[in-house]
Amino acid sequence: MENFYLVLVVVLFALAISDLIVGVSNDAVNFLNSAIGSKAAPKWVIFLMASAGILVGATFSNGMMEVARKGIFHPDMFFFAEIMVIFLAVMITDIILLDMFNTFGMPTSTTVSIVFELLGAAVAVSVVKIKTAGGSVVAELYQYINSEKALAIISGILLSVFVAFTVGAIVMYLTRLVFSFEYGKSLKYFGSAFGGLAITAITYFMLIKGIKGSSFAGFVLESGETVQEWAKHNTTMILLASFVGWTIIIQLLRWIFNIDILKVIVLVGTFALAMAFAGNDLVNFIGVPVAGFKSFQAWVASGMSPEAFSMEKLAGKSSTPVYMLLISGLVMVVTLIMSKKAQAVTKTEINLARQSEGMERFGSSLIARLMVRSSINFNKSVSRTMPTTVRESVSRRFTPVALGPVNDPETPAFDKIRASVNLVTASILIAIATSFKLPLSTTYVTFMVAMGTSLSDRAWDRESAVYRISGVFAVIGGWFLTAIIAFTVSGLVALLISVGGKFLIFVFVAVAIFMVIRTQFVFKKRNQKAIEEEEEAFHETDGVEKVMQKCKKHCVNAIQTSNNAFSKGIGSFLQENRADLKESIMLKDKLNTKSKKIKSKIFDTLSKIEDNIDTGHYYVQVVDYQREIAHSLNFLIQPLFEHLDNHHKPFSEVQAEELQVLAQKLDEFYQIGLTMIEENTFGNLDTLVIKRDEIVDYLKKTEKNQIKRIKSKEVNTRNSVLYFNINSETKNLLMHSINLIKAHRDFVSYSVENGK
């Protein structure tokens, strides 16, 4: 029996390593976004500062997470065997949940996930225990669960979301009023004081967050006070001395070395938040396994049965071995540098906070539209009451300055003033909450501060506001979804293990491994798709040949997809093969999505290709005709699927023969068009036009045949509407395809002429 539970402890630590990896991938968003978004330094410098912060924070983090031992449930009410079920259910669920969020690039809170997983598993095990004893769940559950802690965390989440957003918006507004977007002159006068204030706030944050629970916090000074007590009693003096000292140091560094103070603030803030993350959130990942290890040690020493040994010892104080903290810190550093999913999560916040326009990741929502409409009306009302001079003066302070070429990867998403405000404001809020022992999530605070500063900085203008707000609500919705999923899945896993037997533990571990591997493949596939799209996109460095090659690729894809979708759609419809017809729908949907994406990026593309009006004009035509082809395919194939899906009467043999001939003729037409595009042989375009006219004449003939069938009452209304729709949309396909090839021909000829 002892060996069995030893294996479970080993499994717990193996899961902890996996949890560290997926957890860091998610929480890296907290401390990397400001530095990466503002391009404050090369990435290797940013990662170096963050890694140093993680290692220092991991060393300071000396103390097993209290919530894992007694924060959510009362350990004295459970036996060792039951505690191990709870801990294993928590770790299995946490890995699956966090990896899922990472795969979709959505930041969430590791604190909230671990808390609700503990709550769900503890409730499930408690219910089984109460029912087994013949008790009442309603009357006895409160004895097992620490409901006050869970309610405090939920209220802390709601409060932190609102406060962080509001404070971030106010601080950013005041800061921008002082410095504006052209902050070079203002920094000469106020830069040192601003830097001193910012670094002092960060120092206070590190002091409050770092010293608590650290190995030297209990060191006794000559005065008889511990380091932690001395820091608490002399906070005002420390802050004042820090402000004066840093202000003087920064001013001297500006005079002597002409340093960029904003860069220093951003890098120091990155270090501080990374340190806080490792020092506090680290226990979210290793707290449960360490609690399991401590439980195992206590049980082995007792010599009692695992089903009879009470876990009341977990209610006492305990500490985490330093070597575990250091190993965890190293795993976190390696993950931070290597994880592609961490970069995906980071991109989500940067995309919502960026100053420039471009592709929006999220769509529009009703609540976002209502909020934007209300804000616009409110702003108009306020503007009417303000004096014109004041309104114009404020407007000048908030007029953005271009940070670089649009959509250039090296262009910052926002300036270093906003990055500094993000870090300093988040640091202060987290430090204040920590000092008052208020529950909050560092992820929620840092994210909502970034969103508040984006709003005040007018990054959310009328072109992007509805999409950015929808994105924020999507992320917030994901946070609450985290709690629901964590509670439900963890509870279900614990319930099944408790009822079905311990062997299910290994089944669920296998499921967790399978899920992580599966999402990794999904992520790689999506990443590969993004790389392919990036390769197909136009860049300023592209030469004439490259531009023509990429445009050709788009056109070839449109023609090939159109031909395949049409032939497969008609063939599977006539054979009443629903599965193959679905493949045709997938083809046309893929073309529709791709053409829509290309059209949405037309502004960026035109700004990058050669500066020639005619070239740009023909490229716009190429994009428009691709989009029209996608529309025609949609209007043609979707009715076919609906007809088949609703089990309506199939077409007659004569109609089927006509459509088969049509599909063959269209295939010949498309093969000629493909050869022209691929070989740039547009001299025989007349051949393609003749082929099109032949097909149009054939369509006229089939229409007359259908009219005869209607007259003779061989077909019904539904049949006729669908048949005429096929003919009509086929004509549109032919027209748009010819126009696409002509537009591509003109684009190529003008590109070559302009490149000479």
Side-chain angles (χ1 to χ4, degrees), residues 742-754:
K742 287 180 179 179
H744 177 65
R745 175 200 63 188
D746 296 335
F747 177 79
V748 170
S749 62
Y750 275 92
S751 295
V752 172
E753 184 180 328
N754 192 48

Side-chain angles (χ1 to χ4, degrees), residues 81-236:
E82 296 163 342
I83 283 288
M84 292 301 290
V85 170
I86 291 173
F87 288 161
L88 283 161
V90 167
M91 295 305 296
I92 290 168
T93 305
D94 205 49
I95 290 171
I96 296 173
L97 182 63
L98 293 181
D99 188 68
M100 180 180 69
F101 273 85
N102 293 345
T103 301
F104 291 101
M106 297 289 281
T108 191
S109 170
T110 54
T111 303
V112 170
S113 64
I114 204 80
V115 164
F116 279 90
E117 283 153 7
L118 282 165
L119 182 61
V123 167
V125 173
S126 300
V127 168
V128 172
K129 187 170 183 176
I130 293 169
K131 282 294 183 182
T132 303
S136 169
V137 174
V138 176
E140 299 178 30
L141 186 61
Y142 77 94
Q143 299 175 12
Y144 295 82
I145 306 301
N146 189 351
S147 56
E148 291 182 7
K149 186 71 174 181
L151 290 173
I153 290 172
I154 294 171
S155 61
I157 293 169
L158 295 171
L159 186 63
S160 65
V161 167
F162 175 75
V163 171
F165 183 84
T166 305
V167 173
I170 293 171
V171 173
M172 187 70 246
Y173 187 84
L174 297 175
T175 304
R176 194 61 78 184
L177 272 180
V178 174
F179 290 100
S180 79
F181 279 92
E182 297 179 352
Y183 49 79
K185 293 181 180 179
S186 302
L187 280 178
K188 290 182 180 179
Y189 302 105
F190 308 111
S192 299
F194 178 73
L197 180 64
I199 297 181
T200 297
I202 293 171
T203 303
Y204 173 66
F205 166 74
M206 287 193 291
L207 187 69
I208 294 295
K209 295 290 284 182
I211 201 171
K212 183 182 179 182
S214 66
S215 55
F216 60 83
F219 182 76
V220 181
L221 302 173
E222 293 181 2
S223 61
E225 294 179 307
T226 63
V227 172
Q228 187 169 349
E229 290 171 344
W230 180 86
K232 183 178 180 180
H233 295 154
N234 296 278
T235 301
T236 304

Side-chain angles (χ1 to χ4, degrees), residues 3-21 64 68 80-95 114 117-118 121 282-297 311 314 324 328 490 493 497 505-506 509 512-513:
N3 290 335
F4 173 76
Y5 282 103
L6 179 60
V7 170
L8 293 189
V9 171
V10 172
V11 169
L12 269 178
F13 278 102
L15 292 173
I17 294 173
S18 300
D19 205 30
L20 270 172
I21 293 171
M64 189 173 61
F80 172 66
E82 296 163 342
I83 283 288
M84 292 301 290
V85 170
I86 291 173
F87 288 161
L88 283 161
V90 167
M91 295 305 296
I92 290 168
T93 305
D94 205 49
I95 290 171
I114 204 80
E117 283 153 7
L118 282 165
L282 169 62
V283 289
N284 293 345
F285 315 119
I286 67 170
V288 168
V290 171
F293 178 61
K294 295 285 184 181
S295 302
F296 175 76
Q297 287 180 320
M311 294 311 304
L314 282 182
M324 288 187 182
S328 301
S490 183
V493 171
I497 294 173
I505 291 172
F506 301 102
V509 170
I513 294 170

Side-chain angles (χ1 to χ4, degrees), residues 555-556 558-567 662-682 684-685 687-688 691-692 695 734 737-738 741:
C555 293
V556 167
I559 296 296
Q560 284 180 335
T561 305
S562 180
N563 189 20
N564 292 338
F566 185 90
S567 60
L662 175 62
Q664 184 179 349
K665 288 179 177 291
L666 202 69
D667 179 65
E668 293 170 1
F669 169 82
Y670 276 132
Q671 293 304 327
I672 296 171
L674 274 175
T675 303
M676 287 183 180
I677 296 173
E678 289 173 341
E679 299 178 3
N680 288 333
T681 53
F682 299 106
N684 59 343
L685 190 62
T687 306
L688 192 65
K691 190 66 181 175
R692 180 202 62 185
I695 297 174
L734 289 167
S737 298
I738 285 280
I741 294 169

